[in-house]
Amino acid sequence: MRETETALRPPTAENHEAVQEAHEAYCAVERQLAILLRRSQAFSAGMGRKVHPELDPGAYGLLVRIDQSSPMRSSDLAAYLRVGRATISRQLKVLEELGLISRSPDPEDGRAHLLALTHEGRRRLDDARAARQGQLRTLLAAWPEEDVRLLAGMLERFNTLTEGMHP
């Protein structure tokens, strides 16, 4: 029987249980994601403070993305993060004032600039990443390596699904 035909059949106790179990599974995912996101934001804010005490909580993610994709234009960073250019400009100005990033003229477009980490920005980001990885190792120390790899794979799979989503 096709899925549409199944959906049109009168509900049975068996069908109702399956629908209820699916609903509970999605509710559990939503709850766990909410917890993960709240804790991740707090964790990233702490990592940002490790990079520089004056760093805005969201700036750690900017530094990570610049590191992954540099040299890159601020417009590309704004598009990736789905924020406006004015928002990204304000945040980048602070990172530049703190000596964590540099801007250089884009050789392909004289009106644009390319972003990169400074030596100091790289050093501080590397130190913060080492601390974060140490915390993750401590948290997951009791897990078999296979489970850690499974978690990484599932998170990657989920993140791939969300790449094209808009809030």
Side-chain angles (χ1 to χ4, degrees):
M1 202 176 286
R2 291 188 313 214
E3 191 176 316
T4 54
E5 292 173 353
T6 304
L8 297 175
R9 290 179 35 210
T12 63
E14 196 176 273
N15 186 359
H16 178 72
E17 283 181 33
V19 169
Q20 184 62 29
E21 286 176 12
H23 174 74
E24 289 172 7
Y26 284 95
C27 287
V29 168
E30 189 275 333
R31 273 191 310 274
Q32 295 306 317
L33 275 176
I35 292 167
L36 177 65
L37 292 173
R38 280 193 305 271
R39 290 180 181 165
S40 177
Q41 288 171 339
F43 200 56
S44 286
M47 290 295 104
R49 285 189 298 277
K50 285 183 190 288
V51 171
H52 195 285
E54 296 175 36
L55 203 60
D56 182 79
Y60 177 78
L62 294 176
L63 291 172
V64 168
R65 184 63 186 173
I66 292 169
D67 182 44
Q68 291 171 338
S69 300
S70 70
M72 71 182 308
R73 293 180 179 185
S74 60
S75 58
D76 294 334
L77 181 60
Y80 176 80
L81 297 171
R82 298 184 186 111
V83 298
R85 288 183 184 186
T87 299
I88 208 74
S89 290
R90 284 190 302 274
Q91 292 174 326
L92 292 174
K93 183 179 180 196
V94 172
L95 294 176
E96 192 172 22
E97 289 171 354
L98 294 174
L100 303 175
I101 65 166
S102 64
R103 297 179 202 234
S104 59
D106 184 342
E108 296 177 17
D109 181 352
R111 299 166 297 168
H113 288 86
L114 297 174
L115 307 169
L117 295 179
T118 61
H119 176 71
E120 182 65 11
R122 157 102 29 238
R123 185 187 67 74
R124 288 175 177 256
L125 182 60
D126 287 348
D127 288 350
R129 277 185 167 154
R132 184 176 212 167
Q133 289 169 6
Q135 287 177 320
L136 287 171
R137 276 192 200 94
T138 300
L139 284 171
L140 301 173
W143 287 22
E145 184 179 330
E146 180 180 323
D147 287 356
V148 175
R149 290 184 189 283
L150 178 62
L151 175 61
M154 296 300 283
L155 288 170
E156 179 181 18
R157 187 173 165 194
F158 181 79
N159 286 330
T160 299
L161 287 174
T162 63
E163 281 178 5
M165 291 181 63
H166 297 282

